[in-house]
Coordinates of all heavy atoms in Angstrom, one line a residue:
R9 N 35.6 -43.6 22.0 CA 36.5 -44.4 23.0 C 37.9 -43.8 22.9 O 38.4 -43.4 21.9 CB 36.4 -45.8 22.6 CG 35.1 -46.6 22.7 CD 35.2 -48.0 22.4 NE 33.9 -48.6 22.5 CZ 33.0 -48.8 21.6 NH1 33.3 -48.3 20.4 NH2 31.9 -49.3 21.7
R10 N 38.5 -44.0 24.2 CA 39.9 -43.5 24.2 C 40.5 -44.3 25.4 O 39.9 -44.2 26.5 CB 40.1 -42.1 24.4 CG 41.5 -41.6 24.7 CD 42.4 -41.6 23.5 NE 43.7 -41.0 23.8 CZ 44.8 -41.7 24.2 NH1 44.8 -42.9 24.3 NH2 45.9 -41.0 24.4
K11 N 41.6 -45.0 25.3 CA 42.2 -45.8 26.4 C 41.0 -46.7 26.9 O 40.6 -47.6 26.2 CB 42.8 -45.0 27.5 CG 44.1 -44.2 27.0 CD 44.7 -43.6 28.3 CE 46.1 -43.0 27.7 NZ 46.7 -42.3 28.9
S12 N 40.7 -46.7 28.2 CA 39.6 -47.5 28.7 C 38.4 -46.7 29.0 O 37.5 -47.2 29.7 CB 40.0 -48.2 30.0 OG 40.4 -47.3 31.0
S13 N 38.3 -45.6 28.4 CA 37.1 -44.7 28.6 C 36.0 -44.8 27.5 O 36.5 -45.0 26.3 CB 37.4 -43.3 28.6 OG 38.4 -42.9 29.7
V14 N 34.8 -44.9 27.8 CA 33.8 -45.0 26.7 C 32.7 -43.9 27.0 O 32.3 -43.6 28.1 CB 33.0 -46.3 26.9 CG1 31.9 -46.3 25.7 CG2 33.9 -47.5 26.6
A15 N 32.5 -43.1 26.0 CA 31.6 -41.9 26.1 C 30.4 -42.0 25.2 O 30.6 -42.2 23.9 CB 32.3 -40.6 25.7
R16 N 29.2 -41.9 25.7 CA 28.0 -41.9 24.9 C 27.4 -40.4 24.9 O 27.2 -40.0 26.0 CB 26.9 -42.9 25.5 CG 27.4 -44.3 25.2 CD 26.4 -45.3 25.7 NE 26.5 -45.6 27.2 CZ 27.6 -46.2 27.7 NH1 28.6 -46.5 27.0 NH2 27.7 -46.6 29.0
V17 N 27.3 -39.9 23.7 CA 26.8 -38.5 23.6 C 25.5 -38.4 23.0 O 25.3 -39.1 22.0 CB 27.9 -37.7 22.7 CG1 27.3 -36.4 22.3 CG2 29.2 -37.5 23.5
Y18 N 24.6 -37.6 23.5 CA 23.3 -37.4 23.0 C 23.2 -35.9 22.6 O 23.2 -35.1 23.5 CB 22.2 -37.8 24.0 CG 22.3 -39.3 24.4 CD1 23.0 -39.6 25.5 CD2 21.8 -40.3 23.6 CE1 23.2 -40.9 26.0 CE2 21.9 -41.6 24.0 CZ 22.6 -41.9 25.2 OH 22.8 -43.3 25.5
L19 N 23.0 -35.6 21.3 CA 23.0 -34.3 20.7 C 21.7 -33.8 20.3 O 21.0 -34.6 19.7 CB 24.0 -34.2 19.5 CG 24.3 -32.9 18.9 CD1 25.6 -32.3 19.4 CD2 24.3 -33.1 17.4
S20 N 21.2 -32.7 20.7 CA 20.0 -32.1 20.4 C 20.0 -30.6 20.2 O 21.0 -30.0 20.7 CB 18.9 -32.5 21.4 OG 19.2 -32.0 22.6
K21 N 19.0 -30.0 19.5 CA 19.0 -28.6 19.4 C 18.8 -28.0 20.7 O 18.1 -28.4 21.5 CB 17.8 -28.3 18.5 CG 18.0 -27.1 17.7 CD 18.9 -27.2 16.5 CE 18.6 -26.2 15.5 NZ 19.7 -26.1 14.5
G22 N 19.5 -26.8 20.9 CA 19.4 -26.2 22.2 C 20.2 -24.8 22.2 O 20.4 -24.2 21.2
E23 N 20.7 -24.5 23.5 CA 21.5 -23.2 23.6 C 22.9 -23.5 24.0 O 23.5 -22.6 24.6 CB 20.8 -22.3 24.6 CG 20.6 -22.7 25.9 CD 19.3 -23.6 26.1 OE1 18.5 -23.7 25.3 OE2 19.3 -24.1 27.4
G24 N 23.4 -24.7 23.9 CA 24.9 -24.9 24.2 C 25.1 -25.4 25.5 O 26.3 -25.2 26.0
K25 N 24.3 -26.2 26.1 CA 24.5 -26.7 27.4 C 25.1 -28.1 27.3 O 24.6 -28.9 26.6 CB 23.0 -26.8 28.2 CG 23.1 -26.3 29.6 CD 21.7 -26.3 30.2 CE 21.3 -27.7 30.5 NZ 20.0 -27.9 31.1
I26 N 26.2 -28.3 28.0 CA 26.8 -29.5 28.0 C 26.8 -30.1 29.5 O 27.4 -29.6 30.3 CB 28.4 -29.4 27.6 CG1 28.4 -28.8 26.1 CG2 29.0 -30.8 27.5 CD1 29.8 -28.5 25.6
T27 N 26.2 -31.4 29.6 CA 26.2 -32.0 30.9 C 26.9 -33.3 30.7 O 26.6 -34.1 29.9 CB 24.8 -32.3 31.4 OG1 24.0 -33.0 30.4 CG2 24.1 -31.0 31.7
V28 N 27.8 -33.6 31.8 CA 28.6 -34.9 31.7 C 28.3 -35.6 33.0 O 28.5 -35.1 34.1 CB 30.1 -34.5 31.7 CG1 30.9 -35.9 31.7 CG2 30.5 -33.7 30.5
N29 N 27.7 -36.7 32.9 CA 27.2 -37.5 34.0 C 26.5 -36.7 35.0 O 26.5 -36.9 36.2 CB 28.4 -38.1 34.8 CG 29.1 -39.3 33.9 OD1 28.6 -39.7 32.9 ND2 30.3 -39.7 34.4
G30 N 25.4 -36.0 34.4 CA 24.5 -35.3 35.3 C 25.1 -33.9 35.8 O 24.3 -33.2 36.4
K31 N 26.5 -33.5 35.6 CA 26.9 -32.3 36.0 C 27.3 -31.5 34.9 O 27.5 -32.0 33.8 CB 28.2 -32.6 36.9 CG 28.0 -33.4 38.1 CD 29.4 -33.4 38.8 CE 29.5 -34.2 40.1 NZ 30.7 -34.4 40.6
D32 N 27.4 -30.2 35.1 CA 28.0 -29.3 34.1 C 29.4 -29.6 33.7 O 30.2 -30.1 34.6 CB 27.9 -27.9 34.5 CG 28.3 -26.8 33.4 OD1 27.8 -27.0 32.3 OD2 29.2 -26.0 33.7
Y33 N 29.8 -29.6 32.4 CA 31.1 -30.1 32.1 C 32.3 -29.2 32.7 O 33.3 -29.8 33.0 CB 31.2 -30.1 30.5 CG 31.6 -28.9 29.8 CD1 32.9 -28.6 29.4 CD2 30.7 -27.8 29.6 CE1 33.2 -27.4 28.8 CE2 31.0 -26.6 29.0 CZ 32.2 -26.4 28.5 OH 32.6 -25.3 28.0
K34 N 31.9 -28.0 33.1 CA 33.0 -27.2 33.8 C 33.2 -27.6 35.2 O 34.3 -27.4 35.8 CB 32.7 -25.7 33.6 CG 32.8 -25.2 32.2 CD 32.6 -23.7 32.2 CE 32.8 -23.3 30.7 NZ 32.5 -21.8 30.6
K35 N 32.2 -28.2 35.9 CA 32.3 -28.7 37.2 C 32.9 -30.1 37.1 O 33.7 -30.4 38.0 CB 30.9 -28.8 37.8 CG 30.3 -27.4 38.2 CD 29.9 -27.5 39.7 CE 29.3 -26.3 40.1 NZ 29.4 -25.0 39.5
Y36 N 32.6 -31.0 36.1 CA 33.0 -32.4 36.0 C 34.6 -32.3 35.7 O 35.4 -33.0 36.1 CB 32.2 -33.0 35.0 CG 32.6 -34.5 35.0 CD1 31.8 -35.4 35.8 CD2 33.4 -35.2 34.1 CE1 32.1 -36.7 35.9 CE2 33.6 -36.5 34.1 CZ 33.0 -37.4 35.0 OH 33.2 -38.7 35.0
F37 N 35.0 -31.3 34.8 CA 36.4 -31.2 34.4 C 36.8 -29.8 34.7 O 36.7 -28.9 33.9 CB 36.5 -31.4 32.8 CG 36.2 -32.8 32.3 CD1 35.0 -32.9 31.5 CD2 37.0 -33.9 32.6 CE1 34.7 -34.2 31.0 CE2 36.7 -35.2 32.2 CZ 35.5 -35.3 31.3
P38 N 37.4 -29.6 35.9 CA 37.8 -28.2 36.3 C 39.0 -27.6 35.5 O 39.1 -26.5 35.5 CB 38.1 -28.4 37.8 CG 38.1 -29.8 38.1 CD 37.7 -30.6 36.9
Q39 N 39.8 -28.5 34.9 CA 41.0 -28.1 34.2 C 40.5 -27.4 32.8 O 39.8 -28.0 32.1 CB 42.0 -29.1 33.9 CG 42.4 -29.9 35.1 CD 41.6 -31.2 35.4 OE1 40.4 -31.3 35.0 NE2 42.1 -32.0 36.2
T40 N 41.1 -26.2 32.5 CA 40.7 -25.5 31.5 C 41.1 -26.2 30.1 O 40.4 -26.0 29.1 CB 41.3 -24.0 31.4 OG1 42.6 -24.0 31.7 CG2 40.5 -23.2 32.6
H41 N 42.3 -26.7 30.1 CA 42.8 -27.4 28.8 C 41.9 -28.6 28.5 O 41.7 -28.9 27.3 CB 44.3 -27.9 29.0 CG 44.5 -28.9 30.0 ND1 44.6 -28.6 31.3 CD2 44.8 -30.2 29.8 CE1 44.9 -29.8 31.9 NE2 45.0 -30.7 31.0
I42 N 41.2 -29.3 29.5 CA 40.3 -30.3 29.2 C 39.0 -29.8 28.7 O 38.5 -30.4 27.8 CB 40.2 -31.2 30.5 CG1 41.4 -31.9 31.0 CG2 39.1 -32.3 30.3 CD1 42.1 -32.8 30.1
Q43 N 38.6 -28.7 29.2 CA 37.4 -28.1 28.8 C 37.5 -27.6 27.3 O 36.6 -27.9 26.5 CB 37.0 -26.9 29.7 CG 36.7 -27.2 31.0 CD 36.5 -26.0 32.0 OE1 36.6 -24.9 31.5 NE2 36.4 -26.2 33.2
T44 N 38.7 -27.1 26.9 CA 38.8 -26.7 25.6 C 38.8 -27.9 24.5 O 38.3 -27.8 23.5 CB 40.0 -25.8 25.3 OG1 41.2 -26.6 25.8 CG2 40.0 -24.6 26.1
A45 N 39.3 -29.0 25.0 CA 39.3 -30.2 24.3 C 37.9 -30.7 23.9 O 37.6 -31.2 22.9 CB 40.2 -31.3 25.0
I46 N 37.0 -30.6 24.9 CA 35.6 -31.0 24.8 C 34.9 -30.1 23.8 O 34.1 -30.6 22.9 CB 34.9 -31.0 26.1 CG1 35.5 -32.1 27.0 CG2 33.4 -31.2 26.0 CD1 35.0 -32.2 28.3
V47 N 35.1 -28.8 23.9 CA 34.3 -27.9 22.8 C 35.1 -27.7 21.5 O 34.5 -26.9 20.6 CB 34.0 -26.5 23.6 CG1 33.1 -26.7 24.8 CG2 35.3 -25.8 23.9
A48 N 36.2 -28.4 21.4 CA 37.0 -28.1 20.2 C 36.2 -28.5 18.8 O 36.3 -27.8 17.9 CB 38.4 -28.9 20.3

Side-chain angles (χ1 to χ4, degrees):
R9 294 183 180 92
R10 171 75 170 98
K11 292 187 176 181
S12 60
S13 301
V14 179
R16 286 179 278 297
V17 165
Y18 302 95
L19 185 97
S20 59
K21 205 80 156 160
E23 64 271 350
K25 224 170 77 181
I26 301 173
T27 57
V28 180
N29 291 348
K31 294 181 185 173
D32 183 52
Y33 82 104
K34 291 184 177 177
K35 289 234 183 340
Y36 193 84
F37 297 112
Q39 302 92 339
T40 53
H41 67 283
I42 300 294
Q43 293 171 10
T44 54
I46 289 173
V47 296

